[in-house]
Amino acid sequence: MTYAIGIDIGGTNTDMGLVREDGTIIARTNIPTNAYTEFQPYVKDIMDCIAKLMKGNNVSSIEGIGIGAPNGNFYTGCVDNAPNLTIKGVLNFEEEMRKYMDVKVVLSNDANAAAYGELVYGGAKGLDNFIMFTLGTGVGSGIVLDGKLVHGSTGAAGELGHAILVPEGRQCSCGRKGCLETYTSARGIVQTFCELRKQTPNYNGKLMSVPDKDITSKMIGDAANDGDLVAQVTYARTAYYLGIAMANAVTFSAPQAIFLLGGPTKVGKPLMEPLVESFKKHLLNIYEGSCEIRMSQLNANEVAILGAAALIKMK
Amino acid sequence: MTYAIGIDIGGTNTDMGLVREDGTIIARTNIPTNAYTEFQPYVKDIMDCIAKLMKGNNVSSIEGIGIGAPNGNFYTGCVDNAPNLTIKGVLNFEEEMRKYMDVKVVLSNDANAAAYGELVYGGAKGLDNFIMFTLGTGVGSGIVLDGKLVHGSTGAAGELGHAILVPEGRQCSCGRKGCLETYTSARGIVQTFCELRKQTPNYNGKLMSVPDKDITSKMIGDAANDGDLVAQVTYARTAYYLGIAMANAVTFSAPQAIFLLGGPTKVGKPLMEPLVESFKKHLLNIYEGSCEIRMSQLNANEVAILGAAALIKMK
């Protein structure tokens, strides 16, 4: 058996896991990312954790360290000025970690890591061409083509959440307008619900008295499954946009499957039924029947670590 | 010196050229595609032409035959039910041609061939990651990633002309609505001009008395360069949409360059100035400065044959 370390760097926490090659997380630990403002002590503490994870489980050597991080760049091994990290600047993880251990270090952004995790440990095993959409606070994506993660010329390929879906559409946090993310992220779903509710003066569903600022996509999903019509229309509209984005992605790389991951995708029928319909309706006829929508097969609280660990399998 | 044959199959004509490895077309000939309804005699006549081209130029062997064709499928070596060909069905060129000559046969669609021609013989030499948009009656595209043409799982990847740019937008000939092609093809440009002219009651430009059905994108381009304001707004609007489509393509594969080919791109300033502006405005900030817009360096009447011939260089 071989082992790898997967690290998921988030703005709040840094999660680390010791992963066996069959995709089992043997042990995990974490440190608070936002407790650090300097890079060296942060990496030192990570390496201490890794040493403890290995020693505590009688693992004497690892295949490598995979890192999923916001703005993580595969080519440089660096995190480039991630806006949501308290440690600023260009962070060269590969270089810094090798001061402690002679080990392969591979870094990419979290959505790419999730896609690669699906390929190595999840439902995409054996697939050469697929795309992963991750729906959360934002919308991320990872693209696998001919068995390889697409990094492009800069290392920053696969940002389909920021493809413009509606010219001059909703304001996006990236500064532009109409990005897919503004319609299909958790935040976008809440916005759609609040807009629709406002347009429905006789709305008297369960969420009637919850103020806009307290609504979550999970609450809307639950309401939709309980028969709330406005919540159902919200998810149908979300699905309409996501179906177009998926059909557009197919015109690029003709994948065998598109995988979905993330909280808002857990709602089930209120999202999936209209999504399949929108995808079919908007798919160019030459691709008919060649690409299916699938749910990620990875456990929600394991995908980030497994995806990161999977990165070291990259050729 | 080695040689290749490039074949460009159109609905009307089949153009063939003998191409030297430096990208010079030594000799060319053609037969009328639409004079054939049967596949065997069509291929026989093509192979006769090839034999004559070789003999007439003292070329005893060729590296291969590359074919650019509508619905041409790289994986199968077949043209699959191309709607604009008089010869119907699934046409297996590779199999049929090998009855005459023991030679490598590679087939792809015309936009893919153009992109690969740019890589082998044109302005994309040495580039690993780029995208080609071809503007003509329709809008085609070819995507090169890590030095390879992207074919996807079915062989039909790279149809960015049919990515939906405006949900519920203009009716497309593919049966769906809002495809890029409906805004930026020659036909789309004419439609934009006619719509704008109608909305401008005091329009008194040169094209004032030309009926809608006789307007061409070339006439609009000439008028724009002559100072016709409605024609200039037409190209500015075309550029606006194309710039968004290009920025969206960058979120997929982070190319180093996007190339433009085809009649409507020849208009110059009225297209290019607003195109660069729209592209910059709609490009996600992480890609800033990483991708430039370039014109194809291949001669308009040679690109189809050169692109087809280039296909045999594919690994």
Side-chain angles (χ1 to χ4, degrees):
Chain A
M1 280 290 178
T2 60
Y3 296 84
I5 294 287
I7 305 180
D8 170 39
I9 299 180
T12 311
N13 275 301
T14 297
D15 288 320
M16 290 158 271
L18 177 64
V19 178
R20 203 167 60 193
E21 68 176 311
D22 64 357
T24 307
I25 301 177
I26 302 293
R28 54 196 291 173
T29 185
N30 66 77
I31 57 173
T33 318
N34 56 13
Y36 298 85
T37 53
E38 297 294 325
F39 185 51
Q40 272 93 350
Y42 172 62
V43 172
K44 185 186 177 300
D45 287 356
I46 288 176
M47 297 310 287
D48 281 348
C49 287
I50 292 175
K52 276 180 202 154
L53 281 174
M54 289 173 65
K55 204 177 172 193
N57 294 278
N58 295 315
V59 170
S60 58
S61 78
I62 53 172
E63 235 184 308
I65 300 173
I67 305 172
N71 294 32
N73 190 306
F74 172 72
Y75 294 128
T76 62
C78 295
V79 168
D80 298 346
N81 293 299
N84 64 342
L85 293 190
T86 44
I87 310 167
K88 298 300 175 194
V90 175
L91 314 180
N92 193 331
F93 279 89
E94 192 172 357
E95 189 183 68
E96 193 62 24
M97 286 181 159
R98 291 221 181 137
K99 292 180 183 169
Y100 298 85
M101 201 191 282
D102 181 25
V103 69
K104 182 178 179 182
V105 177
V106 184
L107 197 141
S108 196
N109 75 45
D110 36 4
N112 283 347
Y116 214 70
E118 201 68 39
L119 178 67
V120 173
Y121 301 119
K125 271 181 199 166
L127 291 186
D128 276 338
N129 290 293
F130 70 92
I131 298 174
M132 162 82 80
F133 281 90
T134 64
L135 270 52
T137 314
V139 172
S141 68
I143 302 160
V144 171
L145 195 61
D146 296 335
K148 288 180 194 158
L149 211 41
V150 172
H151 288 105
S153 64
T154 64
E159 287 289 352
L160 302 185
H162 291 286
I164 293 170
L165 191 71
V166 180
E168 313 307 331
R170 286 185 182 168
Q171 183 64 48
C172 187
S173 60
C174 74
R176 302 172 314 142
K177 283 181 178 175
C179 296
L180 173 64
E181 177 166 308
T182 65
Y183 295 92
T184 64
S185 66
R187 216 181 306 176
I189 294 168
V190 170
Q191 185 177 343
T192 301
F193 177 79
C194 294
E195 284 172 8
L196 286 171
R197 182 168 68 168
K198 211 172 165 185
Q199 291 158 21
T200 315
N202 55 349
Y203 172 67
N204 60 359
K206 274 188 189 171
L207 300 176
M208 193 169 62
S209 54
V210 184
D212 282 8
K213 67 175 178 44
D214 296 332
I215 300 268
T216 65
S217 63
K218 172 81 169 63
M219 289 162 70
I220 303 166
D222 290 343
N225 276 312
D226 279 353
D228 185 315
L229 280 175
V230 172
Q232 286 173 353
V233 173
T234 299
Y235 270 95
R237 196 165 285 188
T238 305
Y240 166 81
Y241 285 119
L242 188 57
I244 295 176
M246 286 178 164
N248 283 353
V250 173
T251 68
F252 205 100
S253 66
Q256 295 151 288
I258 296 177
F259 284 83
L260 279 176
L261 178 75
T265 70
K266 306 283 184 214
V267 61
K269 215 169 134 178
L271 179 72
M272 295 310 290
E273 276 193 358
L275 178 59
V276 169
E277 195 185 317
S278 171
F279 180 63
K280 280 189 180 167
K281 184 185 163 193
H282 295 111
L283 193 67
L284 185 62
N285 60 355
I286 60 168
Y287 300 113
E288 211 179 300
S290 70
C291 176
E292 53 179 17
I293 301 172
R294 297 193 200 169
M295 293 302 290
S296 166
Q297 295 300 306
L298 297 177
N299 197 310
N301 62 28
E302 295 193 334
V303 60
I305 284 178
L306 288 179
L311 291 172
I312 65 152
K313 302 283 186 188
M314 244 185 308
K315 275 132 215 154
Chain B
M1 280 290 178
T2 60
Y3 296 85
I5 294 289
I7 304 181
D8 170 39
I9 299 179
T12 311
N13 275 301
T14 297
D15 287 321
M16 289 158 274
L18 178 64
V19 178
R20 204 166 60 192
E21 68 177 310
D22 64 356
T24 308
I25 301 177
I26 303 292
R28 55 197 289 175
T29 186
N30 66 78
I31 57 173
T33 318
N34 58 11
Y36 298 85
T37 54
E38 297 293 327
F39 186 51
Q40 272 92 352
Y42 172 62
V43 172
K44 186 185 177 302
D45 287 357
I46 288 176
M47 297 309 289
D48 281 350
C49 287
I50 291 175
K52 276 180 202 153
L53 282 174
M54 289 172 66
K55 204 176 172 192
N57 294 279
N58 295 316
V59 170
S60 58
S61 78
I62 52 172
E63 234 185 307
I65 300 173
I67 304 173
N71 294 34
N73 190 306
F74 173 72
Y75 294 126
T76 62
C78 295
V79 168
D80 299 345
N81 294 299
N84 65 341
L85 293 189
T86 44
I87 309 167
K88 297 301 174 194
V90 176
L91 314 179
N92 193 329
F93 278 89
E94 190 171 1
E95 188 184 68
E96 192 63 23
M97 285 180 159
R98 291 221 180 138
K99 292 180 184 170
Y100 298 85
M101 200 190 280
D102 180 24
V103 70
K104 181 179 180 180
V105 177
V106 184
L107 197 140
S108 196
N109 75 45
D110 36 4
N112 282 347
Y116 215 71
E118 201 69 38
L119 178 68
V120 174
Y121 301 118
K125 271 180 199 165
L127 290 187
D128 276 336
N129 289 295
F130 70 91
I131 298 175
M132 162 83 80
F133 280 90
T134 64
L135 270 50
T137 316
V139 171
S141 68
I143 302 159
V144 172
L145 195 62
D146 295 334
K148 287 182 193 157
L149 211 41
V150 173
H151 287 105
S153 64
T154 64
E159 288 290 351
L160 301 185
H162 290 286
I164 294 171
L165 191 71
V166 181
E168 312 307 331
R170 285 185 182 170
Q171 183 63 49
C172 186
S173 60
C174 75
R176 301 173 313 143
K177 284 181 175 173
C179 296
L180 173 64
E181 176 165 310
T182 65
Y183 296 91
T184 63
S185 66
R187 217 182 303 176
I189 293 167
V190 170
Q191 184 177 341
T192 301
F193 177 80
C194 293
E195 284 172 9
L196 286 171
R197 181 167 70 167
K198 212 172 162 185
Q199 292 159 20
T200 315
N202 56 348
Y203 172 67
N204 60 358
K206 274 189 188 169
L207 300 175
M208 192 169 61
S209 54
V210 184
D212 282 7
K213 68 176 175 49
D214 296 331
I215 301 268
T216 66
S217 63
K218 171 84 168 66
M219 289 161 70
I220 303 165
D222 291 343
N225 276 312
D226 280 354
D228 184 315
L229 280 177
V230 172
Q232 286 173 352
V233 174
T234 299
Y235 270 95
R237 197 165 283 191
T238 305
Y240 167 79
Y241 285 119
L242 188 57
I244 295 175
M246 287 177 163
N248 283 351
V250 172
T251 67
F252 205 99
S253 66
Q256 295 151 289
I258 296 177
F259 285 83
L260 279 176
L261 178 75
T265 69
K266 307 283 185 214
V267 62
K269 214 169 134 176
L271 180 71
M272 294 311 290
E273 277 193 358
L275 179 59
V276 169
E277 195 184 317
S278 171
F279 180 62
K280 279 188 182 168
K281 184 184 164 195
H282 294 111
L283 194 66
L284 184 61
N285 60 356
I286 60 168
Y287 301 113
E288 212 179 298
S290 69
C291 176
E292 54 179 16
I293 300 173
R294 297 194 200 168
M295 295 301 292
S296 166
Q297 295 301 307
L298 296 177
N299 197 309
N301 62 27
E302 294 192 334
V303 60
I305 283 177
L306 288 179
L311 291 173
I312 65 152
K313 302 281 186 191
M314 242 185 310
K315 277 132 214 155

